[in-house]
Amino acid sequence: MSDQADSSKIVALACDHAGLEMKRALLPVLEEMGVTALDLGTDTSDSVDYPDFADRLAQALADGRAERGILVCGSGIGISIAANRHAHIRAALCHNSTDARLSRQHNDANVIAFGARTMGDEVAKECVRAFLTTGFEGGRHERRVSKMSPGRPGSA
């Protein structure tokens, strides 16, 4: 388990119109952590469809342009569901830093999702820090994660 973010890490961010301000608030946290942000939009408050942005982020992870991702919509629910349609994504909707830490330790989540209308920016920042500095424990959790992840040993 890592206690620090890997400075070579690239994290993709994407949001819908409801998540724009929170996404912008998270960018300085990544910079402070020495993490490169790959901003996949949206960049305006014009209404957009969150599945399109979840798909952009999933593609960035599939292409290797980013190692992990951050998604934001109004509730976090829709965008996390849209992301989890992709077999290589394990998106966790988190409401606090404990959720974020456990999503990494136990589920090896590679994407964290937030609801901009259900939590504040400061809590989201704490979650990002926990998400990016926590490693996967493996062990008993490996078998379970393998059942959800194509290409991992033990996956169907």
Side-chain angles (χ1 to χ4, degrees), residues 80-121:
S80 63
I81 291 170
N84 280 318
R85 292 180 309 130
H86 299 272
H88 65 288
I89 299 295
R90 289 177 309 284
L93 173 57
C94 295
H95 298 97
N96 56 58
S97 61
T98 299
D99 289 349
R101 181 176 48 79
L102 291 173
S103 77
R104 291 287 308 131
Q105 288 177 334
H106 295 185
N107 308 114
D108 199 17
N110 56 358
V111 175
I112 191 167
F114 302 121
R117 294 178 180 147
T118 64
M119 70 187 302
D121 291 350

PDB file of all heavy atoms in Angstrom, residues 80-121:
ATOM      1  N   SER A  80     -21.440   7.260 -12.436  1.00  0.00           N
ATOM      2  CA  SER A  80     -20.765   6.033 -12.003  1.00  0.00           C
ATOM      3  C   SER A  80     -21.396   4.804 -12.658  1.00  0.00           C
ATOM      4  O   SER A  80     -20.689   3.869 -13.040  1.00  0.00           O
ATOM      5  CB  SER A  80     -20.760   5.910 -10.481  1.00  0.00           C
ATOM      6  OG  SER A  80     -22.053   5.815  -9.945  1.00  0.00           O
ATOM      7  N   ILE A  81     -22.719   4.809 -12.824  1.00  0.00           N
ATOM      8  CA  ILE A  81     -23.373   3.700 -13.536  1.00  0.00           C
ATOM      9  C   ILE A  81     -22.881   3.648 -14.982  1.00  0.00           C
ATOM     10  O   ILE A  81     -22.547   2.572 -15.496  1.00  0.00           O
ATOM     11  CB  ILE A  81     -24.910   3.843 -13.480  1.00  0.00           C
ATOM     12  CG1 ILE A  81     -25.420   3.613 -12.055  1.00  0.00           C
ATOM     13  CG2 ILE A  81     -25.588   2.887 -14.458  1.00  0.00           C
ATOM     14  CD1 ILE A  81     -26.890   3.962 -11.861  1.00  0.00           C
ATOM     15  N   ALA A  82     -22.827   4.814 -15.630  1.00  0.00           N
ATOM     16  CA  ALA A  82     -22.369   4.866 -17.020  1.00  0.00           C
ATOM     17  C   ALA A  82     -20.933   4.364 -17.141  1.00  0.00           C
ATOM     18  O   ALA A  82     -20.608   3.613 -18.072  1.00  0.00           O
ATOM     19  CB  ALA A  82     -22.486   6.296 -17.557  1.00  0.00           C
ATOM     20  N   ALA A  83     -20.078   4.735 -16.218  1.00  0.00           N
ATOM     21  CA  ALA A  83     -18.679   4.290 -16.268  1.00  0.00           C
ATOM     22  C   ALA A  83     -18.568   2.790 -16.053  1.00  0.00           C
ATOM     23  O   ALA A  83     -17.785   2.112 -16.730  1.00  0.00           O
ATOM     24  CB  ALA A  83     -17.855   5.039 -15.219  1.00  0.00           C
ATOM     25  N   ASN A  84     -19.351   2.256 -15.138  1.00  0.00           N
ATOM     26  CA  ASN A  84     -19.257   0.829 -14.817  1.00  0.00           C
ATOM     27  C   ASN A  84     -19.811  -0.081 -15.905  1.00  0.00           C
ATOM     28  O   ASN A  84     -19.649  -1.292 -15.827  1.00  0.00           O
ATOM     29  CB  ASN A  84     -19.918   0.549 -13.467  1.00  0.00           C
ATOM     30  CG  ASN A  84     -19.005   0.901 -12.319  1.00  0.00           C
ATOM     31  OD1 ASN A  84     -17.812   0.625 -12.358  1.00  0.00           O
ATOM     32  ND2 ASN A  84     -19.551   1.537 -11.306  1.00  0.00           N
ATOM     33  N   ARG A  85     -20.397   0.482 -16.948  1.00  0.00           N
ATOM     34  CA  ARG A  85     -20.791  -0.332 -18.101  1.00  0.00           C
ATOM     35  C   ARG A  85     -19.559  -0.855 -18.828  1.00  0.00           C
ATOM     36  O   ARG A  85     -19.640  -1.834 -19.557  1.00  0.00           O
ATOM     37  CB  ARG A  85     -21.629   0.487 -19.095  1.00  0.00           C
ATOM     38  CG  ARG A  85     -22.986   0.892 -18.591  1.00  0.00           C
ATOM     39  CD  ARG A  85     -23.750   1.709 -19.638  1.00  0.00           C
ATOM     40  NE  ARG A  85     -22.942   2.799 -20.135  1.00  0.00           N
ATOM     41  CZ  ARG A  85     -22.747   3.079 -21.436  1.00  0.00           C
ATOM     42  NH1 ARG A  85     -23.326   2.384 -22.367  1.00  0.00           N
ATOM     43  NH2 ARG A  85     -21.981   4.085 -21.799  1.00  0.00           N
ATOM     44  N   HIS A  86     -18.426  -0.205 -18.643  1.00  0.00           N
ATOM     45  CA  HIS A  86     -17.179  -0.605 -19.292  1.00  0.00           C
ATOM     46  C   HIS A  86     -16.482  -1.651 -18.420  1.00  0.00           C
ATOM     47  O   HIS A  86     -16.245  -1.412 -17.232  1.00  0.00           O
ATOM     48  CB  HIS A  86     -16.282   0.614 -19.485  1.00  0.00           C
ATOM     49  CG  HIS A  86     -16.897   1.660 -20.360  1.00  0.00           C
ATOM     50  ND1 HIS A  86     -16.757   1.665 -21.722  1.00  0.00           N
ATOM     51  CD2 HIS A  86     -17.685   2.724 -20.055  1.00  0.00           C
ATOM     52  CE1 HIS A  86     -17.423   2.692 -22.236  1.00  0.00           C
ATOM     53  NE2 HIS A  86     -17.996   3.348 -21.240  1.00  0.00           N
ATOM     54  N   ALA A  87     -16.151  -2.772 -19.020  1.00  0.00           N
ATOM     55  CA  ALA A  87     -15.626  -3.904 -18.250  1.00  0.00           C
ATOM     56  C   ALA A  87     -14.340  -3.593 -17.492  1.00  0.00           C
ATOM     57  O   ALA A  87     -14.105  -4.166 -16.429  1.00  0.00           O
ATOM     58  CB  ALA A  87     -15.404  -5.097 -19.188  1.00  0.00           C
ATOM     59  N   HIS A  88     -13.522  -2.697 -17.980  1.00  0.00           N
ATOM     60  CA  HIS A  88     -12.238  -2.407 -17.335  1.00  0.00           C
ATOM     61  C   HIS A  88     -12.343  -1.332 -16.255  1.00  0.00           C
ATOM     62  O   HIS A  88     -11.349  -1.003 -15.611  1.00  0.00           O
ATOM     63  CB  HIS A  88     -11.205  -1.988 -18.386  1.00  0.00           C
ATOM     64  CG  HIS A  88     -11.516  -0.701 -19.078  1.00  0.00           C
ATOM     65  ND1 HIS A  88     -12.530  -0.585 -20.008  1.00  0.00           N
ATOM     66  CD2 HIS A  88     -10.974   0.535 -18.962  1.00  0.00           C
ATOM     67  CE1 HIS A  88     -12.582   0.662 -20.439  1.00  0.00           C
ATOM     68  NE2 HIS A  88     -11.654   1.362 -19.817  1.00  0.00           N
ATOM     69  N   ILE A  89     -13.527  -0.813 -16.038  1.00  0.00           N
ATOM     70  CA  ILE A  89     -13.726   0.246 -15.049  1.00  0.00           C
ATOM     71  C   ILE A  89     -14.335  -0.319 -13.768  1.00  0.00           C
ATOM     72  O   ILE A  89     -15.272  -1.104 -13.808  1.00  0.00           O
ATOM     73  CB  ILE A  89     -14.655   1.361 -15.609  1.00  0.00           C
ATOM     74  CG1 ILE A  89     -14.044   2.007 -16.849  1.00  0.00           C
ATOM     75  CG2 ILE A  89     -14.980   2.396 -14.538  1.00  0.00           C
ATOM     76  CD1 ILE A  89     -12.757   2.759 -16.615  1.00  0.00           C
ATOM     77  N   ARG A  90     -13.771   0.102 -12.654  1.00  0.00           N
ATOM     78  CA  ARG A  90     -14.340  -0.175 -11.338  1.00  0.00           C
ATOM     79  C   ARG A  90     -14.514   1.189 -10.670  1.00  0.00           C
ATOM     80  O   ARG A  90     -13.623   1.687  -9.988  1.00  0.00           O
ATOM     81  CB  ARG A  90     -13.433  -1.094 -10.525  1.00  0.00           C
ATOM     82  CG  ARG A  90     -13.397  -2.533 -11.052  1.00  0.00           C
ATOM     83  CD  ARG A  90     -12.443  -3.427 -10.289  1.00  0.00           C
ATOM     84  NE  ARG A  90     -11.107  -2.864 -10.165  1.00  0.00           N
ATOM     85  CZ  ARG A  90     -10.199  -2.835 -11.147  1.00  0.00           C
ATOM     86  NH1 ARG A  90     -10.467  -3.346 -12.322  1.00  0.00           N
ATOM     87  NH2 ARG A  90      -9.011  -2.306 -10.935  1.00  0.00           N
ATOM     88  N   ALA A  91     -15.664   1.818 -10.946  1.00  0.00           N
ATOM     89  CA  ALA A  91     -15.942   3.156 -10.435  1.00  0.00           C
ATOM     90  C   ALA A  91     -16.685   3.060  -9.116  1.00  0.00           C
ATOM     91  O   ALA A  91     -17.672   2.338  -9.003  1.00  0.00           O
ATOM     92  CB  ALA A  91     -16.772   3.949 -11.445  1.00  0.00           C
ATOM     93  N   ALA A  92     -16.207   3.797  -8.148  1.00  0.00           N
ATOM     94  CA  ALA A  92     -16.811   3.820  -6.819  1.00  0.00           C
ATOM     95  C   ALA A  92     -17.372   5.209  -6.533  1.00  0.00           C
ATOM     96  O   ALA A  92     -16.639   6.199  -6.597  1.00  0.00           O
ATOM     97  CB  ALA A  92     -15.772   3.457  -5.765  1.00  0.00           C
ATOM     98  N   LEU A  93     -18.659   5.266  -6.246  1.00  0.00           N
ATOM     99  CA  LEU A  93     -19.286   6.509  -5.812  1.00  0.00           C
ATOM    100  C   LEU A  93     -18.964   6.666  -4.333  1.00  0.00           C
ATOM    101  O   LEU A  93     -19.352   5.842  -3.508  1.00  0.00           O
ATOM    102  CB  LEU A  93     -20.797   6.444  -6.035  1.00  0.00           C
ATOM    103  CG  LEU A  93     -21.620   7.604  -5.488  1.00  0.00           C
ATOM    104  CD1 LEU A  93     -21.158   8.936  -6.048  1.00  0.00           C
ATOM    105  CD2 LEU A  93     -23.097   7.372  -5.773  1.00  0.00           C
ATOM    106  N   CYS A  94     -18.214   7.710  -4.008  1.00  0.00           N
ATOM    107  CA  CYS A  94     -17.749   7.902  -2.634  1.00  0.00           C
ATOM    108  C   CYS A  94     -18.314   9.182  -2.042  1.00  0.00           C
ATOM    109  O   CYS A  94     -18.450  10.192  -2.727  1.00  0.00           O
ATOM    110  CB  CYS A  94     -16.217   7.942  -2.605  1.00  0.00           C
ATOM    111  SG  CYS A  94     -15.468   6.376  -3.094  1.00  0.00           S
ATOM    112  N   HIS A  95     -18.611   9.113  -0.744  1.00  0.00           N
ATOM    113  CA  HIS A  95     -19.175  10.250  -0.029  1.00  0.00           C
ATOM    114  C   HIS A  95     -18.264  10.784   1.061  1.00  0.00           C
ATOM    115  O   HIS A  95     -18.542  11.822   1.658  1.00  0.00           O
ATOM    116  CB  HIS A  95     -20.520   9.855   0.588  1.00  0.00           C
ATOM    117  CG  HIS A  95     -21.521   9.481  -0.447  1.00  0.00           C
ATOM    118  ND1 HIS A  95     -21.765   8.170  -0.806  1.00  0.00           N
ATOM    119  CD2 HIS A  95     -22.309  10.230  -1.227  1.00  0.00           C
ATOM    120  CE1 HIS A  95     -22.680   8.144  -1.746  1.00  0.00           C
ATOM    121  NE2 HIS A  95     -23.027   9.380  -2.028  1.00  0.00           N
ATOM    122  N   ASN A  96     -17.180  10.053   1.344  1.00  0.00           N
ATOM    123  CA  ASN A  96     -16.234  10.483   2.369  1.00  0.00           C
ATOM    124  C   ASN A  96     -14.902   9.780   2.136  1.00  0.00           C
ATOM    125  O   ASN A  96     -14.800   8.881   1.301  1.00  0.00           O
ATOM    126  CB  ASN A  96     -16.786  10.199   3.779  1.00  0.00           C
ATOM    127  CG  ASN A  96     -17.150   8.749   3.956  1.00  0.00           C
ATOM    128  OD1 ASN A  96     -16.317   7.858   3.796  1.00  0.00           O
ATOM    129  ND2 ASN A  96     -18.418   8.479   4.275  1.00  0.00           N
ATOM    130  N   SER A  97     -13.880  10.189   2.874  1.00  0.00           N
ATOM    131  CA  SER A  97     -12.539   9.640   2.649  1.00  0.00           C
ATOM    132  C   SER A  97     -12.436   8.170   3.035  1.00  0.00           C
ATOM    133  O   SER A  97     -11.610   7.446   2.475  1.00  0.00           O
ATOM    134  CB  SER A  97     -11.489  10.474   3.374  1.00  0.00           C
ATOM    135  OG  SER A  97     -11.723  10.476   4.769  1.00  0.00           O
ATOM    136  N   THR A  98     -13.277   7.721   3.946  1.00  0.00           N
ATOM    137  CA  THR A  98     -13.280   6.288   4.283  1.00  0.00           C
ATOM    138  C   THR A  98     -13.761   5.470   3.093  1.00  0.00           C
ATOM    139  O   THR A  98     -13.157   4.445   2.743  1.00  0.00           O
ATOM    140  CB  THR A  98     -14.151   6.015   5.523  1.00  0.00           C
ATOM    141  OG1 THR A  98     -13.605   6.742   6.626  1.00  0.00           O
ATOM    142  CG2 THR A  98     -14.191   4.532   5.860  1.00  0.00           C
ATOM    143  N   ASP A  99     -14.845   5.924   2.442  1.00  0.00           N
ATOM    144  CA  ASP A  99     -15.303   5.253   1.222  1.00  0.00           C
ATOM    145  C   ASP A  99     -14.183   5.202   0.191  1.00  0.00           C
ATOM    146  O   ASP A  99     -13.950   4.173  -0.451  1.00  0.00           O
ATOM    147  CB  ASP A  99     -16.482   6.003   0.585  1.00  0.00           C
ATOM    148  CG  ASP A  99     -17.784   5.913   1.342  1.00  0.00           C
ATOM    149  OD1 ASP A  99     -17.906   5.108   2.282  1.00  0.00           O
ATOM    150  OD2 ASP A  99     -18.700   6.688   0.973  1.00  0.00           O
ATOM    151  N   ALA A 100     -13.498   6.329   0.003  1.00  0.00           N
ATOM    152  CA  ALA A 100     -12.438   6.410  -0.997  1.00  0.00           C
ATOM    153  C   ALA A 100     -11.300   5.452  -0.672  1.00  0.00           C
ATOM    154  O   ALA A 100     -10.805   4.735  -1.550  1.00  0.00           O
ATOM    155  CB  ALA A 100     -11.922   7.845  -1.088  1.00  0.00           C
ATOM    156  N   ARG A 101     -10.885   5.429   0.582  1.00  0.00           N
ATOM    157  CA  ARG A 101      -9.789   4.538   1.000  1.00  0.00           C
ATOM    158  C   ARG A 101     -10.176   3.081   0.812  1.00  0.00           C
ATOM    159  O   ARG A 101      -9.417   2.282   0.241  1.00  0.00           O
ATOM    160  CB  ARG A 101      -9.425   4.823   2.461  1.00  0.00           C
ATOM    161  CG  ARG A 101      -8.285   3.986   2.996  1.00  0.00           C
ATOM    162  CD  ARG A 101      -7.922   4.384   4.425  1.00  0.00           C
ATOM    163  NE  ARG A 101      -9.058   4.499   5.316  1.00  0.00           N
ATOM    164  CZ  ARG A 101      -9.682   3.459   5.904  1.00  0.00           C
ATOM    165  NH1 ARG A 101      -9.268   2.222   5.670  1.00  0.00           N
ATOM    166  NH2 ARG A 101     -10.692   3.655   6.718  1.00  0.00           N
ATOM    167  N   LEU A 102     -11.376   2.713   1.253  1.00  0.00           N
ATOM    168  CA  LEU A 102     -11.810   1.318   1.134  1.00  0.00           C
ATOM    169  C   LEU A 102     -12.046   0.909  -0.315  1.00  0.00           C
ATOM    170  O   LEU A 102     -11.846  -0.266  -0.666  1.00  0.00           O
ATOM    171  CB  LEU A 102     -13.063   1.086   1.979  1.00  0.00           C
ATOM    172  CG  LEU A 102     -12.841   1.153   3.485  1.00  0.00           C
ATOM    173  CD1 LEU A 102     -14.170   1.089   4.232  1.00  0.00           C
ATOM    174  CD2 LEU A 102     -11.892   0.063   3.952  1.00  0.00           C
ATOM    175  N   SER A 103     -12.461   1.861  -1.155  1.00  0.00           N
ATOM    176  CA  SER A 103     -12.658   1.527  -2.568  1.00  0.00           C
ATOM    177  C   SER A 103     -11.348   1.092  -3.213  1.00  0.00           C
ATOM    178  O   SER A 103     -11.338   0.255  -4.115  1.00  0.00           O
ATOM    179  CB  SER A 103     -13.268   2.704  -3.336  1.00  0.00           C
ATOM    180  OG  SER A 103     -12.312   3.703  -3.624  1.00  0.00           O
ATOM    181  N   ARG A 104     -10.252   1.646  -2.744  1.00  0.00           N
ATOM    182  CA  ARG A 104      -8.930   1.250  -3.246  1.00  0.00           C
ATOM    183  C   ARG A 104      -8.448  -0.022  -2.562  1.00  0.00           C
ATOM    184  O   ARG A 104      -8.027  -0.955  -3.224  1.00  0.00           O
ATOM    185  CB  ARG A 104      -7.925   2.393  -3.007  1.00  0.00           C
ATOM    186  CG  ARG A 104      -8.162   3.607  -3.857  1.00  0.00           C
ATOM    187  CD  ARG A 104      -7.784   3.387  -5.322  1.00  0.00           C
ATOM    188  NE  ARG A 104      -6.423   2.865  -5.377  1.00  0.00           N
ATOM    189  CZ  ARG A 104      -6.070   1.786  -6.086  1.00  0.00           C
ATOM    190  NH1 ARG A 104      -6.938   1.133  -6.825  1.00  0.00           N
ATOM    191  NH2 ARG A 104      -4.813   1.376  -6.067  1.00  0.00           N
ATOM    192  N   GLN A 105      -8.496  -0.043  -1.221  1.00  0.00           N
ATOM    193  CA  GLN A 105      -7.961  -1.184  -0.475  1.00  0.00           C
ATOM    194  C   GLN A 105      -8.673  -2.487  -0.813  1.00  0.00           C
ATOM    195  O   GLN A 105      -8.028  -3.522  -0.994  1.00  0.00           O
ATOM    196  CB  GLN A 105      -8.076  -0.941   1.028  1.00  0.00           C
ATOM    197  CG  GLN A 105      -7.117   0.085   1.563  1.00  0.00           C
ATOM    198  CD  GLN A 105      -7.319   0.344   3.039  1.00  0.00           C
ATOM    199  OE1 GLN A 105      -8.407   0.166   3.586  1.00  0.00           O
ATOM    200  NE2 GLN A 105      -6.260   0.793   3.701  1.00  0.00           N
ATOM    201  N   HIS A 106      -9.996  -2.448  -0.874  1.00  0.00           N
ATOM    202  CA  HIS A 106     -10.784  -3.674  -0.996  1.00  0.00           C
ATOM    203  C   HIS A 106     -11.280  -3.955  -2.399  1.00  0.00           C
ATOM    204  O   HIS A 106     -11.520  -5.115  -2.745  1.00  0.00           O
ATOM    205  CB  HIS A 106     -11.987  -3.627  -0.057  1.00  0.00           C
ATOM    206  CG  HIS A 106     -11.604  -3.617   1.383  1.00  0.00           C
ATOM    207  ND1 HIS A 106     -12.534  -3.682   2.393  1.00  0.00           N
ATOM    208  CD2 HIS A 106     -10.391  -3.549   2.001  1.00  0.00           C
ATOM    209  CE1 HIS A 106     -11.919  -3.658   3.564  1.00  0.00           C
ATOM    210  NE2 HIS A 106     -10.617  -3.568   3.353  1.00  0.00           N
ATOM    211  N   ASN A 107     -11.476  -2.910  -3.208  1.00  0.00           N
ATOM    212  CA  ASN A 107     -12.087  -3.091  -4.531  1.00  0.00           C
ATOM    213  C   ASN A 107     -11.165  -2.731  -5.684  1.00  0.00           C
ATOM    214  O   ASN A 107     -11.550  -2.894  -6.832  1.00  0.00           O
ATOM    215  CB  ASN A 107     -13.370  -2.252  -4.643  1.00  0.00           C
ATOM    216  CG  ASN A 107     -14.306  -2.515  -3.488  1.00  0.00           C
ATOM    217  OD1 ASN A 107     -14.550  -1.621  -2.683  1.00  0.00           O
ATOM    218  ND2 ASN A 107     -14.817  -3.720  -3.366  1.00  0.00           N
ATOM    219  N   ASP A 108      -9.988  -2.230  -5.392  1.00  0.00           N
ATOM    220  CA  ASP A 108      -9.050  -1.796  -6.417  1.00  0.00           C
ATOM    221  C   ASP A 108      -9.736  -0.884  -7.434  1.00  0.00           C
ATOM    222  O   ASP A 108      -9.531  -0.999  -8.639  1.00  0.00           O
ATOM    223  CB  ASP A 108      -8.406  -2.997  -7.117  1.00  0.00           C
ATOM    224  CG  ASP A 108      -7.122  -2.628  -7.844  1.00  0.00           C
ATOM    225  OD1 ASP A 108      -6.549  -1.553  -7.561  1.00  0.00           O
ATOM    226  OD2 ASP A 108      -6.698  -3.419  -8.709  1.00  0.00           O
ATOM    227  N   ALA A 109     -10.590   0.017  -6.929  1.00  0.00           N
ATOM    228  CA  ALA A 109     -11.289   0.954  -7.807  1.00  0.00           C
ATOM    229  C   ALA A 109     -10.273   1.776  -8.588  1.00  0.00           C
ATOM    230  O   ALA A 109      -9.265   2.211  -8.045  1.00  0.00           O
ATOM    231  CB  ALA A 109     -12.194   1.877  -6.993  1.00  0.00           C
ATOM    232  N   ASN A 110     -10.555   1.963  -9.872  1.00  0.00           N
ATOM    233  CA  ASN A 110      -9.670   2.793 -10.687  1.00  0.00           C
ATOM    234  C   ASN A 110     -10.321   4.131 -11.045  1.00  0.00           C
ATOM    235  O   ASN A 110      -9.689   4.976 -11.669  1.00  0.00           O
ATOM    236  CB  ASN A 110      -9.185   2.058 -11.932  1.00  0.00           C
ATOM    237  CG  ASN A 110     -10.292   1.528 -12.810  1.00  0.00           C
ATOM    238  OD1 ASN A 110     -11.476   1.656 -12.510  1.00  0.00           O
ATOM    239  ND2 ASN A 110      -9.909   0.890 -13.906  1.00  0.00           N
ATOM    240  N   VAL A 111     -11.571   4.307 -10.638  1.00  0.00           N
ATOM    241  CA  VAL A 111     -12.292   5.556 -10.857  1.00  0.00           C
ATOM    242  C   VAL A 111     -13.074   5.885  -9.591  1.00  0.00           C
ATOM    243  O   VAL A 111     -13.675   5.001  -8.979  1.00  0.00           O
ATOM    244  CB  VAL A 111     -13.259   5.434 -12.059  1.00  0.00           C
ATOM    245  CG1 VAL A 111     -14.102   6.699 -12.215  1.00  0.00           C
ATOM    246  CG2 VAL A 111     -12.481   5.134 -13.349  1.00  0.00           C
ATOM    247  N   ILE A 112     -13.049   7.160  -9.226  1.00  0.00           N
ATOM    248  CA  ILE A 112     -13.855   7.640  -8.107  1.00  0.00           C
ATOM    249  C   ILE A 112     -14.886   8.611  -8.672  1.00  0.00           C
ATOM    250  O   ILE A 112     -14.589   9.365  -9.596  1.00  0.00           O
ATOM    251  CB  ILE A 112     -12.973   8.302  -7.026  1.00  0.00           C
ATOM    252  CG1 ILE A 112     -13.771   8.563  -5.752  1.00  0.00           C
ATOM    253  CG2 ILE A 112     -12.276   9.540  -7.543  1.00  0.00           C
ATOM    254  CD1 ILE A 112     -12.905   8.933  -4.543  1.00  0.00           C
ATOM    255  N   ALA A 113     -16.094   8.540  -8.138  1.00  0.00           N
ATOM    256  CA  ALA A 113     -17.176   9.405  -8.611  1.00  0.00           C
ATOM    257  C   ALA A 113     -17.750  10.193  -7.444  1.00  0.00           C
ATOM    258  O   ALA A 113     -17.828   9.689  -6.312  1.00  0.00           O
ATOM    259  CB  ALA A 113     -18.273   8.568  -9.262  1.00  0.00           C
ATOM    260  N   PHE A 114     -18.168  11.423  -7.761  1.00  0.00           N
ATOM    261  CA  PHE A 114     -18.738  12.316  -6.757  1.00  0.00           C
ATOM    262  C   PHE A 114     -20.028  12.940  -7.263  1.00  0.00           C
ATOM    263  O   PHE A 114     -20.192  13.150  -8.461  1.00  0.00           O
ATOM    264  CB  PHE A 114     -17.778  13.471  -6.440  1.00  0.00           C
ATOM    265  CG  PHE A 114     -16.433  13.055  -5.944  1.00  0.00           C
ATOM    266  CD1 PHE A 114     -15.289  13.427  -6.617  1.00  0.00           C
ATOM    267  CD2 PHE A 114     -16.316  12.293  -4.797  1.00  0.00           C
ATOM    268  CE1 PHE A 114     -14.038  13.067  -6.155  1.00  0.00           C
ATOM    269  CE2 PHE A 114     -15.065  11.917  -4.322  1.00  0.00           C
ATOM    270  CZ  PHE A 114     -13.928  12.309  -5.007  1.00  0.00           C
ATOM    271  N   GLY A 115     -20.872  13.297  -6.310  1.00  0.00           N
ATOM    272  CA  GLY A 115     -22.067  14.069  -6.589  1.00  0.00           C
ATOM    273  C   GLY A 115     -21.864  15.502  -6.137  1.00  0.00           C
ATOM    274  O   GLY A 115     -21.771  15.766  -4.940  1.00  0.00           O
ATOM    275  N   ALA A 116     -21.793  16.420  -7.088  1.00  0.00           N
ATOM    276  CA  ALA A 116     -21.542  17.824  -6.749  1.00  0.00           C
ATOM    277  C   ALA A 116     -22.700  18.445  -5.982  1.00  0.00           C
ATOM    278  O   ALA A 116     -22.503  19.411  -5.255  1.00  0.00           O
ATOM    279  CB  ALA A 116     -21.275  18.623  -8.021  1.00  0.00           C
ATOM    280  N   ARG A 117     -23.894  17.877  -6.125  1.00  0.00           N
ATOM    281  CA  ARG A 117     -25.054  18.412  -5.414  1.00  0.00           C
ATOM    282  C   ARG A 117     -25.273  17.724  -4.074  1.00  0.00           C
ATOM    283  O   ARG A 117     -26.171  18.104  -3.328  1.00  0.00           O
ATOM    284  CB  ARG A 117     -26.304  18.255  -6.283  1.00  0.00           C
ATOM    285  CG  ARG A 117     -26.260  19.108  -7.542  1.00  0.00           C
ATOM    286  CD  ARG A 117     -27.482  18.894  -8.408  1.00  0.00           C
ATOM    287  NE  ARG A 117     -27.399  19.725  -9.607  1.00  0.00           N
ATOM    288  CZ  ARG A 117     -27.895  19.377 -10.784  1.00  0.00           C
ATOM    289  NH1 ARG A 117     -28.529  18.217 -10.923  1.00  0.00           N
ATOM    290  NH2 ARG A 117     -27.777  20.184 -11.814  1.00  0.00           N
ATOM    291  N   THR A 118     -24.455  16.728  -3.755  1.00  0.00           N
ATOM    292  CA  THR A 118     -24.652  15.969  -2.519  1.00  0.00           C
ATOM    293  C   THR A 118     -23.484  16.066  -1.552  1.00  0.00           C
ATOM    294  O   THR A 118     -23.576  15.551  -0.436  1.00  0.00           O
ATOM    295  CB  THR A 118     -24.924  14.486  -2.820  1.00  0.00           C
ATOM    296  OG1 THR A 118     -23.774  13.914  -3.454  1.00  0.00           O
ATOM    297  CG2 THR A 118     -26.142  14.315  -3.706  1.00  0.00           C
ATOM    298  N   MET A 119     -22.378  16.686  -1.970  1.00  0.00           N
ATOM    299  CA  MET A 119     -21.221  16.831  -1.079  1.00  0.00           C
ATOM    300  C   MET A 119     -20.478  18.107  -1.423  1.00  0.00           C
ATOM    301  O   MET A 119     -20.595  18.626  -2.527  1.00  0.00           O
ATOM    302  CB  MET A 119     -20.302  15.614  -1.174  1.00  0.00           C
ATOM    303  CG  MET A 119     -19.558  15.504  -2.487  1.00  0.00           C
ATOM    304  SD  MET A 119     -18.622  13.971  -2.718  1.00  0.00           S
ATOM    305  CE  MET A 119     -17.528  13.968  -1.327  1.00  0.00           C
ATOM    306  N   GLY A 120     -19.686  18.566  -0.494  1.00  0.00           N
ATOM    307  CA  GLY A 120     -18.918  19.785  -0.692  1.00  0.00           C
ATOM    308  C   GLY A 120     -17.558  19.517  -1.311  1.00  0.00           C
ATOM    309  O   GLY A 120     -17.052  18.391  -1.280  1.00  0.00           O
ATOM    310  N   ASP A 121     -16.971  20.566  -1.838  1.00  0.00           N
ATOM    311  CA  ASP A 121     -15.663  20.463  -2.476  1.00  0.00           C
ATOM    312  C   ASP A 121     -14.585  19.981  -1.518  1.00  0.00           C
ATOM    313  O   ASP A 121     -13.703  19.216  -1.908  1.00  0.00           O
ATOM    314  CB  ASP A 121     -15.236  21.821  -3.055  1.00  0.00           C
ATOM    315  CG  ASP A 121     -16.066  22.250  -4.244  1.00  0.00           C
ATOM    316  OD1 ASP A 121     -16.860  21.440  -4.778  1.00  0.00           O
ATOM    317  OD2 ASP A 121     -15.914  23.420  -4.656  1.00  0.00           O
TER     318      ASP A 121
END
